[in-house]
Amino acid sequence: MSTGNEVMHDGVMSTGEDARIFPDVEACIDCGGCVVSCKRTWDVPRDEQRISIATMLEGQEAASGLNASSGKAIGQGESPGETAVPMQCYHCSNAPCVSVCPTDSLISKENGFVRVRDDLCIGCQYCLSACPFGAPQFPDEDSGVANLVGSGGTMDKCTMCEERQDVGKGPACAEECATDAILVGTPAQISDELDNRDSGTFFNDVAMDIIFGDDASEFQ
Ligand code: SF4
Ligand code: SF4
């Protein structure tokens, strides 16, 4: 596993234990490259996405002078205007999905990854209701694997490419992002990189506490 100290490129600053994944919404150009790289890397079924781009406030302009600075606008309490937000599992420190899962299919590992154990999932979709970021995915048709409860089969979500990180690579989405809009590193590295870019976060304090726990203070 990587030591967490090496610099790969602007977006992927370190991997492995304690690495987090977080979007720079100002850098995202909504090209879909991350979605394609994820699907290709993990052979994600046609009707599922482990990462998607959510367009917020479509067609709206930001507050005066802030059209190219949506993260900064939010930090100033102003309207950010249309903003593309890469949405995936952020492997939350205080993961609500883990709290609600009745079968312990979802676990927060000591190295920071939130994993789903397919063999325990009963397809109840409680995690889908609990996750504020729309990360849990279910097949359109029941595969018959998780047919005790619900109708959508076994839950699937972004793994933050744990297997790639185990061999020192970054998540496929982050490595292929043409604008380095998906940041991977420690909370301090991500916060510093956002500061260096004069960018900011799209998420409010409640969401930041869910994602980063005590480390949310790095972003204040
Ligand atoms: S983003 Fe959603 S699925 Fe991922 S850890 Fe957080 S609450 Fe769970
Ligand atoms: S769908 Fe599966 S992973 Fe989600 S809460 Fe139910 S049992 Fe847990």
Side-chain angles (χ1 to χ4, degrees):
M1 182 171 284
S2 163
T3 60
N5 291 324
E6 62 207 83
V7 174
M8 299 170 185
H9 58 78
D10 280 354
V12 183
M13 297 165 284
S14 66
T15 58
E17 194 158 346
D18 299 329
R20 312 302 306 274
I21 193 160
F22 195 69
D24 174 0
V25 295
E26 286 177 28
C28 179
I29 55 170
D30 195 12
C31 69
C34 53
V35 178
V36 173
S37 69
C38 176
K39 278 180 166 277
R40 191 179 60 223
T41 301
W42 298 111
D43 203 14
V44 177
R46 185 173 164 188
D47 298 326
E48 293 176 37
Q49 292 183 342
R50 289 181 176 177
I51 181 169
S52 61
I53 310 299
T55 304
M56 310 289 186
L57 305 175
E58 191 166 0
Q60 294 187 29
E61 288 201 8
S64 177
L66 293 168
N67 241 1
S69 308
S70 44
K72 201 154 96 183
I74 294 234
Q76 295 175 6
E78 302 284 353
S79 172
E82 182 171 311
T83 306
V85 187
M87 303 281 281
Q88 63 203 105
C89 178
Y90 299 122
H91 296 262
C92 304
S93 288
N94 296 319
C97 61
V98 173
S99 305
V100 302
C101 178
T103 63
D104 291 336
S105 319
L106 282 158
I107 52 168
S108 292
K109 294 176 62 176
E110 280 188 7
N111 59 10
F113 293 89
V114 174
R115 289 293 267 183
V116 57
R117 298 186 285 188
D118 294 352
D119 52 333
L120 295 178
C121 176
I122 56 172
C124 67
Q125 303 194 8
Y126 286 178
C127 52
L128 180 59
S129 304
C131 173
F133 310 110
Q137 300 285 303
F138 293 87
D140 279 353
E141 291 183 13
D142 191 340
S143 61
V145 175
N147 56 6
L148 291 180
V149 186
S151 58
T154 307
M155 191 271 246
D156 182 51
K157 72 171 185 64
C158 153
T159 63
M160 207 164 62
C161 289
E162 185 175 1
E163 294 85 349
R164 285 171 59 93
Q165 294 200 34
D166 282 346
V167 294
K169 294 180 177 178
C173 58
E175 290 210 332
E176 285 206 30
C177 176
T179 61
D180 290 325
I182 299 174
L183 303 175
V184 180
T186 65
Q189 286 174 323
I190 293 172
S191 174
D192 285 350
E193 183 63 16
L194 289 171
D195 283 347
N196 290 341
R197 298 178 181 191
D198 198 20
S199 188
T201 83
F202 194 83
F203 299 109
N204 64 19
D205 290 347
V206 174
M208 292 298 279
D209 280 343
I210 289 173
I211 297 171
F212 288 107
D214 291 343
D215 289 328
S217 59
E218 296 279 357
F219 295 83
Q220 288 161 2

